[in-house]
Amino acid sequence: MNKKQIAILSIGNTSHKDEGIALYASRYLESNYSFQPEVDIIHGDVARKKLLNVFMEYQEIIVLDVITIEDAPGSMYQFPMETFRSFSTNEDDDETGVLGCLNLLERQGETLPKVTLLAIIPQSIESGTGLSSSLLKPFDAYILMIIKSLEDKGISCEEKAEKQTLQNIVADLTS
């Protein structure tokens, strides 16, 4: 099977405050940048079967998500798959999330894609919409971290002439 080169997979929930940042970031990238060669952007809320297919279709996947580790809200991390797989909990064995899907594919003898997690520490994952002030400030830096990761892989990231604002994207996804 010929695999596609690269995808960005955003994970999150826009009805739980900062947990939506990955979805906002992927929509922001999609609205404001063009990529050469092409990068597929897959927005969260992907059903398990579809998520399994995503991991089987691509050579490389950049996962955008929040991560709850001891650090200040807005702190950003880049983890290779080997590192973030060590964060696994019993919840990850239910095969509905990223780690569960990777574990299932590995047990089935499938070749895993190269996966990188670009994560940001949330301030609040309580019910509500929009981002907390602790994540509004570093949003541009999070986008730049994603762009740099793509450029390091030889992908050209060109800003579009007409840009959407983060506020418009948040409003579109939460209305």
Side-chain angles (χ1 to χ4, degrees), residues 51-69:
L51 190 58
L52 282 169
N53 289 339
V54 168
F55 285 108
M56 291 172 52
E57 280 181 44
Y58 292 90
Q59 295 173 25
E60 190 163 357
I61 298 172
I62 297 172
V63 176
L64 308 180
D65 202 356
V66 295
I67 187 168
T68 51
I69 57 177

Side-chain angles (χ1 to χ4, degrees), residues 136-150:
L136 282 173
K137 292 175 186 171
F139 183 81
D140 288 339
Y142 188 53
I143 294 296
L144 290 175
M145 182 172 87
I146 299 163
I147 295 293
K148 181 173 180 346
S149 180
L150 290 167

